[in-house]
């Protein structure tokens, strides 16, 4: 069966939100019923002899009707929580949802449920009775047989689709706070499933509407009686005061030091509302008679008339829930604020205070937090299909990504650091240490053994500097590598429309053991040079021996120009040594011979110095390569794991 596009419904106490999403493309839109706002007020106005009105229009019509007109009107609100318990509420809900479809038809909005997969959100605490009732209501209202999605999951899916949460984060501990008009619900999702939920059926935006209503009456003496006489108390209390509250909240979210005023023609005015006074009133709030009546209509939802601290109430709903469910703070890695009342600036403040381990970015709220649940629910089927496609693509592209992106990055980054260290060593070790010693030897002569000693001294002296240079360069290299590898990964993931997992991968290089020296006379090729020099001198000895024993004179010439010259200079002393100590022993004296400058210059010529420099470079590179070897395999391993985990996570989301 070809997948159908989706219509989703977040059926709320105060407002109901509708969203649509194409079958394959996770780009949901919230349905706007003509007032430029998301959703419709969950209210129905029955009228004698006429079709019922729904949404804001119902409230307006009722609010503006005269007392006489009201006799033929019946406004029904807050029916959603009661559908499992009351036939009357079920009827209102059915009529309301049917009227929404009729209204959409009149406005030529395409929401036809018969060609769509219909998904309804359900509160995570909803029991089977509620689900059964909602199914009956939806079917009777013309929505076909709906499927259900937990409301908090909708909020999670929305931010996942927005790439504000990565797939692996979505599977971690996500606390969804849904602070709406009528209730405040909390849910902990783990592995994408609701593992705990709790809430407060009384704490919602309408208490703040009531606070503003009382504030209005306090600022406008005589208004209460006036409104009563005109039958406008309900309209002003529920509608105008809600508007004023939202206006105040928005302005305080921008700047809590400004005072807010608002005039309602015919219904009084708000003058200089400040954040301080709001906090004062919220701390000592007592529900008005009007709101207690409204609550009284609900089964068991009765609001006592004592004083309540609204901020503490919210805080305690959170903390006592966490405590009673045994949820340690650390289990929560992301918080999603949804519901219109989460726009109050005190909401993220309290969450930050109570969950201090979370960074600011871990607390998410969209700019339309009331609409995220319906949008997120509608995106579920398309998102699953997309994730299945992405998973397959990642599997296929991983080897290419490693080969063509990660390896070249490793090569070039490591080569850069090696070059830098080698250049530093040539400059420092040669120009300042070994070079001058060799030059002095060339200029002044001396014995090979003293040259060796001096070189050794220089090399030992420079060892610490080299260690420090490498020690400083490697961490920089590692963090650079990590950063660039993450960037490449992020680009790759983003090309597939998913966010990179936040988790970092540690990289390390093989630490140089304190005992093994990096810089030795062997490492810079000095030992090799001495070996070579000894061969030359050894050859010379053989030649001299040949001359002395009356052999062919050409043997001297055969040992080459160095040997030839040396022969001239040293012939006598070597002959003496040979005569005195014999051939084998004389060889060990060679190193102690005090060579004159001319000979020293010939032995250590420019070519030899250059060869030493090359030797140093080659050996240093080999040393660095060896130390970086674990880094290379670590990085590739991390990337493999990260991508495999991501593929598993994408799979898991498919079972949402
Ligand atoms: N900027 C704002 N600041 C504070 N509250 C706001 C703001 N914008 C909207 N609200 C409030 O959010 C509430 C509506 O939120 P939402 O639409 O999420 O509730 P709902 O889903 O209908 O209710 P519930 O989830 O309780 O059934 C109203 O009380 C509204 O006044
Ligand atoms: Mg809601």
């Amino acid at each position: 069966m070809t997948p159908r596009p989706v219509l989703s419904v977040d059926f709320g106490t105060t407002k109901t939100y509708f969203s649509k999403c194409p079958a394959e493309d996770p780009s949901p839109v919230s349905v706007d019923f003509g007032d430029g706002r998301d959703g419709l007020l969950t209210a129905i106005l029955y009228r004698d002899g006429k079709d019922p009105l729904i949404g804001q229009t119902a409230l307006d019509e009722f609010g503006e009707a005269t007392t006489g007109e009201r006799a033929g009107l019946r406004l029904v609100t807050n029916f959603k929580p009661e559908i499992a318990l009351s036939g009357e509420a079920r009827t209102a809900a059915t009529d309301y949802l049917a009227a929404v479809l009729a209204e959409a038809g009149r406005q030529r909005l395409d929401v036809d449920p018969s060609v769509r997969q219909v998904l309804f959100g359900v509160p995570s605490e909803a029991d089977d009775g509620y689900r059964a009732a909602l199914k009956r209501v939806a079917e009777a209202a013309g929505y076909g047989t709906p499927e259900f999605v937990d409301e908090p999951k909708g909020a999670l899916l929305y931010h996942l689709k927005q790439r504000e949460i990565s797939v692996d984060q979505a599977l971690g501990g996500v606390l969804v706070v849904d602070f709406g008009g009528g209730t405040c619900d909390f849910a902990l999702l783990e592995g994408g499933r609701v593992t705990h939920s709790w809430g407060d059926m009384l704490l919602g935006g309408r208490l703040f509407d009531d606070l503003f209503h009382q504030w209005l009456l306090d600022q406008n003496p005589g208004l209460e009686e006036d409104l009563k006489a005109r039958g406008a108390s309900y309209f002003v209390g529920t509608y105008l005061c809600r508007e004023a509250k939202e206006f105040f909240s928005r302005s305080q979210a921008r700047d809590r030091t400004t005072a807010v005023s608002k005039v309602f023609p015919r219904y009084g005015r708000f003058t200089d509302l400040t954040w301080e006074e709001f906090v004062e009133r919220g701390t000592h709030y007592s529900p008005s008679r009007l709101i207690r009546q409204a609550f009284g209509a609900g089964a068991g939802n009765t609001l006592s008339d004592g004083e309540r601290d609204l901020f503490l109430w919210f805080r305690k709903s959170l903390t006592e829930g966490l405590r009673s469910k045994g949820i340690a703070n650390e289990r929560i890695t992301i918080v999603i604020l949804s519901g219109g009342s989460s726009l109050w600036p005190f909401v993220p403040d309290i969450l930050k205070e109570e969950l201090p381990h979370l960074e600011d970015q871990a607390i998410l709220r969209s700019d339309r937090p009331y609409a995220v649940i319906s949008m997120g629910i509608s995106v579920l089927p398309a998102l699953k299909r997309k994730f299945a496609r992405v998973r397959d693509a990642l599997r296929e592209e991983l080897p290419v990504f490693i080969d063509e992106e990660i390896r070249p990055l490793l090569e070039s980054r490591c080569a850069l650091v090696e070059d830098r260290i080698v250049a530093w060593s040539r400059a420092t070790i040669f120009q300042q240490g070994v070079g001058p010693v060799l030059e002095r030897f060339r200029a002044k002569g001396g014995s090979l053994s003293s040259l060796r000693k001096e070189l050794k001294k220089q090399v030992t002296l420079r060892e610490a500097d080299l260690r420090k240079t490498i020690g400083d360069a490697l961490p920089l290299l590692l963090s650079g590598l990590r950063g660039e590898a993450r960037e490449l990964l992020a680009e790759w993931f983003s090309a597939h429309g998913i966010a990179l997992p936040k988790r970092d991968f540690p990289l390390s290089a093989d630490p140089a053991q304190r005992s093994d020296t990096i810089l030795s006379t062997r490492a810079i090729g000095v030992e090799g040079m001495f070996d070579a020099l000894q061969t030359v001198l050894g050859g010379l000895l053989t030649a001299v021996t040949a001359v002395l024993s009356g052999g062919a004179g050409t043997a001297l010439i055969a040992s080459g120009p160095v040997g030839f010259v040396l022969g001239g200079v040293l012939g006598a002393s070597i002959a003496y040594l040979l005569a005195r100590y014999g051939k084998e022993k004389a060889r060990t004296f060679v190193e102690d011979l005090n060579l004159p400058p001319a000979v020293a210059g010939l032995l250590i010529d420019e070519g030899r110095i250059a060869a030493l420099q090359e030797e140093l470079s080659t050996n240093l590179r080999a040393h660095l390569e060896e130390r970086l070897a674990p880094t290379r395999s670590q990085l590739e391993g991390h990337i493999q794991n990260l991508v495999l985990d991501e593929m598993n996570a994408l799979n898991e989301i498919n079972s949402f």
Side-chain angles (χ1 to χ4, degrees):
M1 196 172 81
T2 50
R4 287 167 297 161
V6 175
L7 172 68
S8 72
V9 185
D10 171 16
F11 181 35
T13 311
T14 334
K15 270 188 114 168
T16 298
Y17 297 88
F18 299 82
S19 292
K20 301 192 293 179
C21 186
E24 299 285 352
D25 176 15
S27 40
V29 285
S30 163
V31 178
D32 170 358
F33 286 86
D35 57 2
R37 290 176 148 227
D38 297 291
L40 276 173
L41 281 179
T42 312
I44 181 163
L45 182 69
Y46 291 101
R47 303 181 296 178
D48 282 350
K50 284 188 189 166
D51 282 343
L53 292 175
I54 50 164
Q56 190 59 53
T57 327
L59 227 66
D60 290 349
E61 178 88 2
F62 186 75
E64 280 150 30
T66 60
T67 319
E69 287 166 337
R70 285 203 183 152
L73 300 174
R74 190 164 62 92
L75 181 69
V76 187
T77 57
N78 293 320
F79 43 81
K80 172 215 157 165
E82 315 299 329
I83 56 169
L85 309 166
S86 132
E88 213 177 303
R90 248 184 332 269
T91 307
T94 309
D95 293 342
Y96 169 77
L97 288 172
V100 171
L101 291 183
E103 176 63 24
R106 269 193 296 280
Q107 293 194 25
R108 304 206 175 284
L109 293 172
D110 177 21
V111 295
D112 186 0
S114 70
V115 296
R116 290 186 162 79
Q117 181 180 4
V118 177
L119 301 177
F120 267 70
V122 282
S124 26
E125 280 154 299
D127 54 12
D128 289 345
Y130 178 85
R131 286 167 192 260
L134 184 58
K135 181 164 169 279
R136 274 170 65 189
V137 164
E139 282 171 349
Y143 289 76
T145 303
E147 294 162 60
F148 298 129
V149 181
D150 285 329
E151 284 169 5
K153 199 182 278 183
L156 170 61
L157 288 165
Y158 177 82
H159 289 277
L160 184 61
K161 173 236 133 213
Q162 289 292 86
R163 295 191 225 169
E164 289 152 354
I165 300 183
S166 61
V167 176
D168 71 321
Q169 279 178 317
L171 297 170
V174 180
L175 177 70
V176 176
V177 180
D178 182 10
F179 192 7
T183 61
C184 182
D185 299 307
F186 298 87
L188 180 69
L189 290 100
E190 289 168 306
R193 279 168 205 84
V194 178
T195 50
H196 294 289
S197 64
W198 66 99
D200 194 305
M201 295 299 282
L202 302 177
L203 175 60
R206 52 185 173 156
L207 299 183
F208 291 89
D209 300 346
D210 185 43
L211 180 155
F212 275 74
H213 190 200
Q214 295 181 36
W215 203 344
L216 179 75
L217 298 182
D218 288 348
Q219 285 200 339
N220 297 266
L223 181 66
E224 188 171 8
E225 293 67 32
D226 179 32
L227 292 178
K228 227 179 263 166
R230 286 153 60 197
S233 302
Y234 183 80
F235 173 68
V236 171
T238 56
Y239 177 55
L240 290 188
C241 288
R242 189 181 72 235
E243 294 277 299
K245 171 196 77 174
E246 292 174 12
F247 177 70
F248 175 78
S249 164
R250 279 194 301 272
S251 95
Q252 299 301 299
R254 284 190 299 271
D255 177 5
R256 276 181 238 184
T257 61
T258 51
V260 172
S261 298
K262 197 166 172 73
V263 180
F264 301 129
R266 309 206 295 137
Y267 301 114
R269 61 169 66 224
F270 278 116
T271 313
D272 290 337
L273 308 187
T274 62
W275 183 256
E276 286 71 31
E277 187 167 357
F278 167 69
V279 170
E280 177 62 25
R281 284 176 174 269
T283 312
H284 303 285
Y285 166 76
S286 23
S288 69
R289 193 184 44 78
L290 209 70
I291 190 123
R292 275 186 283 119
Q293 273 171 0
F295 274 103
N301 292 348
T302 39
L303 195 62
S304 62
D305 57 0
E307 206 177 86
R308 302 281 312 243
D309 177 337
L310 292 175
F311 311 109
L312 192 64
W313 190 349
F314 175 76
R315 190 188 292 272
K316 285 200 158 163
S317 300
L318 166 71
T319 53
E320 283 173 7
L322 289 175
R323 192 148 36 100
S324 71
K325 307 279 174 189
I327 302 169
N329 282 5
E330 286 61 36
R331 252 166 91 185
I332 301 169
T333 47
I334 298 273
V335 173
I336 297 177
L337 301 178
S338 65
S341 297
S342 72
L343 284 166
W344 274 117
F346 69 80
V347 170
D349 288 353
I350 289 177
L351 276 143
K352 275 178 221 164
E353 283 162 20
E354 294 302 334
L355 301 171
H357 70 294
L358 292 180
E359 288 176 19
D360 281 2
Q361 314 92 278
I363 301 181
L364 301 173
R365 185 182 65 194
S366 97
D367 46 3
R368 285 149 66 207
Y370 30 78
V372 300
I373 290 179
S374 84
M375 293 216 278
I377 290 172
S378 76
V379 95
L380 178 60
L383 204 60
K384 281 185 180 181
R385 286 186 200 106
K386 176 185 139 175
F387 283 173
R389 289 194 299 271
V390 172
R391 180 201 54 210
D392 294 344
L394 290 185
R395 183 187 301 123
E396 204 177 298
E397 293 167 18
L398 176 61
V400 184
F401 178 73
I402 300 254
D403 264 8
E404 294 181 7
E405 308 276 350
I406 295 301
R407 293 226 173 101
L409 167 74
L410 263 168
E411 293 306 326
S412 63
R413 268 277 176 175
C414 291
L416 213 69
V417 171
E418 286 173 19
D419 288 350
R420 223 177 297 139
I421 292 176
V422 165
W424 174 89
S425 310
R426 286 173 87 126
T428 317
I429 299 172
F430 263 90
Q431 283 165 23
Q432 292 168 28
V434 174
V437 171
L438 293 172
E439 286 306 331
R440 206 163 34 235
F441 180 71
R442 276 159 61 90
K444 300 211 168 115
S447 73
L448 285 187
S449 64
S450 67
L451 173 64
R452 188 204 291 270
K453 221 184 281 160
E454 276 220 53
L455 287 175
K456 223 175 199 150
K457 201 172 105 197
Q458 279 304 326
V459 156
T460 317
L461 262 175
R462 301 292 159 183
E463 167 84 9
D465 291 347
L466 178 61
R467 273 175 179 275
K468 185 174 178 324
T469 306
I470 298 178
D472 290 346
L474 288 191
L476 278 176
L477 166 71
L478 298 184
S479 77
L481 264 179
R482 225 174 27 230
E484 283 188 53
R486 284 191 64 84
E487 266 171 42
L488 288 174
L489 271 168
E491 259 171 51
W492 181 32
F493 277 35
S494 140
H496 289 297
I498 52 174
L500 185 64
K502 292 274 182 294
R503 79 162 191 239
D504 203 1
F505 35 82
L507 286 182
S508 58
D510 193 17
Q513 298 298 322
R514 208 165 298 162
S515 54
D516 56 38
T517 43
I518 307 170
L519 211 54
S520 60
T521 44
R522 181 152 309 283
I524 69 162
V526 167
E527 294 304 328
M529 178 181 80
F530 282 119
D531 288 349
L533 293 181
Q534 267 167 352
T535 309
V536 171
L537 291 170
L540 185 63
L541 278 180
T542 320
V544 174
T545 313
V547 173
L548 289 178
S549 27
T554 47
L556 191 64
I557 300 159
S559 71
V562 174
F564 186 76
V565 176
L566 280 176
V569 180
L570 297 173
S573 41
I574 291 174
Y576 166 78
L577 284 171
L578 277 173
R580 183 141 186 211
Y581 298 105
K583 182 178 157 192
E584 281 314 308
K585 212 148 189 203
R587 204 175 185 289
T588 61
F589 288 104
V590 162
E591 261 204 64
D592 292 323
L593 285 180
N594 203 9
L595 303 171
V599 176
L602 274 164
L603 280 176
I604 312 278
D605 60 1
E606 294 295 340
R608 256 192 226 290
I609 295 183
L612 284 185
Q613 295 208 11
E614 276 320 302
E615 188 81 1
L616 169 70
S617 308
T618 313
N619 287 331
L620 253 183
R621 270 184 212 284
H623 170 85
L624 292 171
E625 299 267 325
E626 202 178 301
R627 284 181 67 178
L628 286 171
T631 314
R632 291 167 185 261
S633 48
Q634 267 170 17
L635 183 59
E636 287 185 19
H638 283 315
I639 287 173
Q640 301 258 13
N641 285 341
L642 189 144
V643 174
L644 290 178
D645 288 351
E646 181 75 7
M647 279 160 41
N648 286 335
L650 289 165
N651 245 354
E652 275 203 48
I653 290 197
N654 241 322
S655 64
F656 263 34

